[in-house]
C-alpha cells in the first residue's frame, strides 16, 4: 500500500527509524534508574530488528519510550527520528500524531491489553477516526477489512463482540489489527507472543512477518527468547542492564556470537537437537540493580571470563551501525584470562572491539 | 434480565416479612397503648378499650399481622392514629418530595465528584490531588447539621450573592422554578456529605484501572489524555461508585430527617420523624414498607447497572 509522504523532508540516506544515544532515566525514590542508557540503532523499511534480553534489561522501556508510554517519572534523552523527524523532546501534542499512526505497538498479553468494556470495533476504529479523520462508516468498513487481514473468521460478527468473547489467539490478532489500523511505518511487537501457547505463538509470528513483508514496514520484535527472533529478523540487539551488549546482522550473530552474555543466553535455550546430558544452562546470579550500577561491565559479576579490567572499565559498543558490534573485553573466541591477575590486555581482541564482519 | 428481576423479587419477600412483622410487633415492645394519646381529657378506661378495639390493638400479634398484610395487599395501609387520614395518601404526598430531593442531591454529588475523582487519579500525588484530598477530608468531617447553617448563611442570605429559599417547599408539579429555589439548598446540603466519599472511591478505583495494560494500549494509539481517562478508564472504574450511589440514594430516601426538618420540607423523612415521636404506628409501618421496597428496587437497578457497565457481567 502506498504510504502518504511524510511531513518534513527525509534525506536520502536517512533510515526509516533511527535512535541515537537514547536514554530513559527514571527518577525513583531510591535514586536515578538508568533503564535505558545510550542505545543506538537504525531500521530501514521492510527490516526487522530483534531486541533480546532478560526481564529488566530495558528492552520494554526502550520500545515504550518510542511510543510515549513510559511512566511519568521517566526522562527521555537522546534522539529518535522517524524519516528524519525528531520525536524526543517535542510537545506531546505533536508526538501524539505519530503514536498509533506511524508507529504502532502490539503488547504482550492479549488478555489484558484490550479494554474489557468496549466492543472490538470501537477499539479498532478510534485511532483511525483520530489520525485518519475517517467517518464512522468508513472506519467500520476498514475495521472489517483489518479483521479479515489478520485471519479472524466472521469478522463482521467479531467486530461486534467484546474481548472476553474471543480466545487468546483471536485477541492477539485483534491487537495486531488495531496496531495496523493506520497503516504504520513501524510496528513494535513487545513480547507479542509470550503469553500465547506455542502453536498459536508460531501463527502470530508468521502473521506478523507476512504483513510486514507485504507492507514494507519496519518492525521491532522484542523477546526474551533468542529462538523467537532467530529466523525472523535482519538484525539482533542483545540488551543487558539498559545497554546493548551485542548488536549485529542476525546471521552474523548466530554464526559468531562474541559477547559472553549472548553466549550464556544461547546456552540457556532448551534444544531438542543436542544430547540429553547437555542440559540448558541457567545464567548464574541475577541482573544487577540498575540504580547502584558499578562503573565496570554490568555482566562482570555473572561472567566466567571477567577479570579486573571488566570490573573497572566498561567495554564500549562500537558506533558503526550495520556492523557486528559488541561490548566485551574478552569476547567469545578469545581465551578467557586464567585468573584475575591476567587483567591487562595482551591481544587486540581484548580491546573494546569494533570488529567488522561482512553484513548479511 | 427477566430472570435477574425474578430472583430479586423473590429475595424481596423475606425482607418485607421481617420489616413488616417487626413494625407490627412494635406496640407489644413499648409501654402504653398506642391509641392512648388520641384520647381527650376526662376519658374513661372504657373509651381506651373502644379505641383499641376500633384499631384492632386488642387482638393478638399474629391476628393483627395477618389483617395488616391482607389490607396492605389491597393498597390499604390503615389510618394515621393522629390525623385519622389514610396512611397511603400521606405517603403518596410525601414520597415524591423526598424522591426529588434524593435524586437531585445524588446528581449534584456525582456531577461534582466524578470529574474530581478522575482528575485526582490522573494527577495522583500532585498538588491538585493533595489540595482536593485535603478539602474533601474537611468536608467529610463537617456533619450535616453544621453544614446546613453554613449553606443557609451564604446562599439564603439577602446580603450575600445568592438568595435561595431557606425554608419551605413548592411542589414540582405546581411551579418548577420555585421548586428548584426551595430544593437547591437542601439538595446541596445532602450532596456535600456524599461528594468526598464519591471522589475518594472513584479516585482509588481509577488509580487501579490506570495501571491496567489496556490503558497503555489506548495511550499507544496517540489518544489524548482526557479521552483515555473518560472513554477508556472511567467505565471500568465505576463499579464501587455505582454500588455506593445506589445505597446512598436508598439512604437519602429513607433518612433525610435532619435536612428535611431544618428546611421544613414536607417529605418522607420529616413524616417518619413525626410519626415516631407521636407513636403513630400505622404511619411508621407504612413508611418503613415503602422504604424497604425502594431499597430492594434500587439494589436491582444497581445490578442491572453492573451489566451495563461491564459486558462480562452479562455473560454470567
Amino acid at each position: 500500500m502506498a504510504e502518504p509522504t511524510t511531513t518534513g523532508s527525509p534525506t536520502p540516506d536517512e533510515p526509516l527509524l533511527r535512535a541515537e544515544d537514547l536514554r530513559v532515566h527514571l527518577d525513583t525514590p531510591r535514586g536515578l534508574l538508568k533503564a535505558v542508557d545510550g542505545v543506538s540503532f537504525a531500521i530501514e523499511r521492510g527490516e526487522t530488528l530483534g531486541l533480546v534480553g532478560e526481564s529488566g534489561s530495558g528492552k520494554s522501556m526502550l520500545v515504550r519510550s518510542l511510543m510515549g508510554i513510559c511512566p511519568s517519572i521517566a526522562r527521555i534523552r537522546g534522539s529518535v527520528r522517524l524519516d528524519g523527524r525528531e520525536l524526543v523532546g517535542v510537545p506531546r501534542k505533536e508526538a501524539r500524531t505519530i503514536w498509533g499512526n506511524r508507529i504502532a505497538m502490539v503488547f504482550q498479553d492479549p488478555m489484558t491489553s484490550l479494554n474489557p468494556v468496549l466492543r472490538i470495533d470501537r477499539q479498532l476504529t478510534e485511532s483511525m477516526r483520530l489520525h485518519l479523520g475517517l467517518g464512522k462508516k468508513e472506519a467500520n468498513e476498514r475495521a472489517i477489512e483489518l479483521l479479515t487481514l489478520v485471519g479472524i473468521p466472521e469478522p463482521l460478527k467479531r467486530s461486534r463482540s467484546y474481548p472476553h468473547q474471543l480466545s487468546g489467539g483471536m485477541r492477539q490478532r485483534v491487537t495486531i489489527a488495531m496496531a495496523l489500523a493506520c497503516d504504520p511505518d513501524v510496528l513494535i511487537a513487545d513480547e507479542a507472543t509470550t503469553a500465547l501457547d506455542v502453536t498459536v505463538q508460531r501463527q502470530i509470528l508468521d502473521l506478523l512477518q507476512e504483513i510486514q513483508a507485504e507492507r514494507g514496514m519496519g518492525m521491532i520484535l522484542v523477546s526474551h527468547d533468542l529462538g523467537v527472533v532467530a529466523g525472523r529478523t535482519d538484525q539482533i540487539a542483545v540488551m543487558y542492564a539498559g545497554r546493548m551488549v551485542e548488536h549485529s546482522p542476525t546471521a552474523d550473530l548466530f554464526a559468531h556470537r562474541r559477547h559472553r552474555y549472548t553466549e550464556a543466553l544461547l546456552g540457556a535455550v532448551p534444544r531438542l537437537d543436542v544430547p540429553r546430558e547437555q542440559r540448558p544452562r541457567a545464567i548464574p546470579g541475577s541482573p544487577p540493580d540498575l540504580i547502584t550500577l558499578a562503573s565496570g561491565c554490568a555482566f562482570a559479576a555473572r561472567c566466567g571470563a571477567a577479570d579486573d579490567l571488566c570490573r573497572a572499565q566498561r567495554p564500549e559498543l562500537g558506533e558503526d551501525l550495520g556492523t557486528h558490534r559488541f561490548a566485551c573485553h574478552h569476547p567469545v573466541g578469545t581465551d578467557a584470562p586464567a585468573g584475575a591477575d591476567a587483567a591487562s590486555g595482551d591481544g587486540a581482541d581484548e580491546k573494546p572491539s569494533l570488529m567488522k564482519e561482512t553484513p548479511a | 434480565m427477566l430472570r435477574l428481576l425474578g430472583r430479586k423479587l423473590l429475595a424481596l419477600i423475606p425482607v418485607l416479612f421481617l420489616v413488616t412483622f417487626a413494625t407490627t410487633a412494635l406496640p407489644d415492645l413499648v409501654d402504653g397503648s398506642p391509641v392512648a394519646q388520641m384520647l381527650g381529657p376526662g376519658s374513661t378506661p372504657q373509651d381506651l378499650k373502644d379505641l383499641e378495639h376500633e384499631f384492632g390493638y386488642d387482638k393478638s400479634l399474629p391476628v393483627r399481622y395477618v389483617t395488616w398484610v391482607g389490607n396492605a395487599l389491597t393498597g390499604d395501609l390503615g389510618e394515621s392514629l393522629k390525623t385519622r387520614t389514610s396512611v397511603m395518601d400521606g405517603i403518596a404526598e410525601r414520597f415524591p418530595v423526598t424522591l426529588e430531593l434524593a435524586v437531585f442531591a445524588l446528581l449534584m454529588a456525582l456531577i461534582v465528584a466524578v470529574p474530581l475523582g478522575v482528575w485526582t487519579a490522573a494527577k495522583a500525588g500532585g498538588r491538585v490531588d493533595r489540595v482536593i484530598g485535603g478539602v474533601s477530608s474537611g468536608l467529610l468531617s463537617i456533619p450535616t447539621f453544621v453544614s446546613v447553617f453554613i449553606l443557609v448563611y451564604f446562599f439564603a442570605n439577602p446580603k450575600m450573592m445568592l438568595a435561595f429559599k431557606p425554608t419551605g417547599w413548592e411542589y414540582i408539579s405546581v411551579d418548577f422554578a420555585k421548586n428548584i429555589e426551595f430544593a437547591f439548598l437542601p439538595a446541596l446540603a445532602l450532596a456535600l456529605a456524599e461528594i468526598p466519599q464519591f471522589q475518594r472511591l472513584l479516585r482509588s478505583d481509577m488509580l487501579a484501572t490506570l495501571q491496567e495494560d489496556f490503558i497503555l494500549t489506548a495511550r499507544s494509539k496517540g489518544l489524548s489524555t482526557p479521552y483515555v481517562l473518560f472513554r477508556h478508564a472511567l467505565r471500568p472504574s465505576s463499579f464501587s461508585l455505582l454500588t455506593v450511589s445506589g445505597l446512598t440514594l436508598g439512604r437519602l430516601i429513607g433518612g433525610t430527617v435532619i435536612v428535611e426538618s431544618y428546611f421544613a420540607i414536607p417529605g418522607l423523612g420529616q413524616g417518619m420523624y413525626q410519626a415516631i415521636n407521636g407513636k403513630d404506628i400505622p404511619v411508621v409501618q407504612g413508611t418503613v414498607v415503602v422504604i424497604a421496597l425502594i431499597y430492594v428496587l434500587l439494589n436491582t437497578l444497581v445490578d442491572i447497572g453492573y451489566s451495563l457497565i461491564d459486558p462480562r457481567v452479562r455473560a454470567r
Side-chain angles (χ1 to χ4, degrees), chain A residues 90-103:
Chain A
V90 302
R92 205 181 158 77
K93 201 175 167 190
E94 198 188 317
R96 277 207 291 113
T97 63
I98 302 288
W99 299 325
N101 184 17
R102 305 206 48 213
I103 308 181

Side-chain angles (χ1 to χ4, degrees), chain B residues 40 98 122 131 158 237 273:
Chain B
T98 298
V131 168
S237 314
Y273 175 70

Side-chain angles (χ1 to χ4, degrees), chain A residues 53-128:
Chain A
E54 289 170 272
S55 7
S57 62
K59 55 193 194 309
S60 268
M61 199 58 82
L62 170 58
V63 291
R64 281 177 188 200
S65 73
L66 304 177
M67 294 298 304
I69 49 174
C70 287
S72 55
I73 51 170
R75 302 276 165 274
I76 302 172
R77 302 270 154 68
S79 158
V80 175
R81 288 200 301 274
L82 180 74
D83 265 342
R85 186 171 160 187
E86 183 60 55
L87 294 184
V88 172
V90 302
R92 205 181 158 77
K93 201 175 167 190
E94 198 188 317
R96 277 207 291 113
T97 63
I98 302 288
W99 299 325
N101 184 17
R102 305 206 48 213
I103 308 181
M105 184 150 158
V106 179
F107 288 84
Q108 175 168 4
D109 189 353
M111 305 312 264
T112 57
S113 59
L114 288 167
N115 191 328
V117 308
L118 299 178
R119 278 188 224 277
I120 302 293
D121 55 357
R122 241 302 288 289
Q123 302 192 50
L124 263 170
T125 51
E126 58 188 2
S127 57
M128 292 188 256

Side-chain angles (χ1 to χ4, degrees), chain A residues 115 118 126, chain B residues 214-215 218 223 227-234 236:
Chain A
N115 191 328
L118 299 178
E126 58 188 2
Chain B
F214 62 80
I215 296 301
L223 302 167
Y227 187 96
V228 172
L229 289 175
F230 283 93
R231 304 302 291 271
H232 278 270
L234 180 56

Side-chain angles (χ1 to χ4, degrees), chain B residues 168-246:
Chain B
W169 190 252
E170 179 61 79
Y171 287 93
I172 194 165
S173 49
V174 179
D175 185 339
F176 180 73
K178 260 216 164 96
N179 169 266
I180 296 297
E181 260 183 75
F182 281 112
F184 184 81
L185 279 188
L188 183 60
L190 292 171
L192 276 184
E194 311 300 337
I195 288 170
Q197 32 162 345
F198 282 10
Q199 178 259 328
R200 279 152 178 245
L201 204 61
L202 185 60
R203 177 185 178 274
S204 69
D205 284 1
M206 194 85 178
L207 275 179
T209 305
L210 291 178
Q211 301 297 317
E212 297 276 358
D213 287 349
F214 62 80
I215 296 301
L216 276 188
T217 311
R219 286 176 57 202
S220 81
K221 289 180 185 172
L223 302 167
S224 71
T225 306
Y227 187 96
V228 172
L229 289 175
F230 283 93
R231 304 302 291 271
H232 278 270
L234 180 56
R235 235 169 89 187
S237 314
S238 44
F239 270 74
S240 316
L241 188 61
L242 176 69
T243 312
V244 172
S245 295

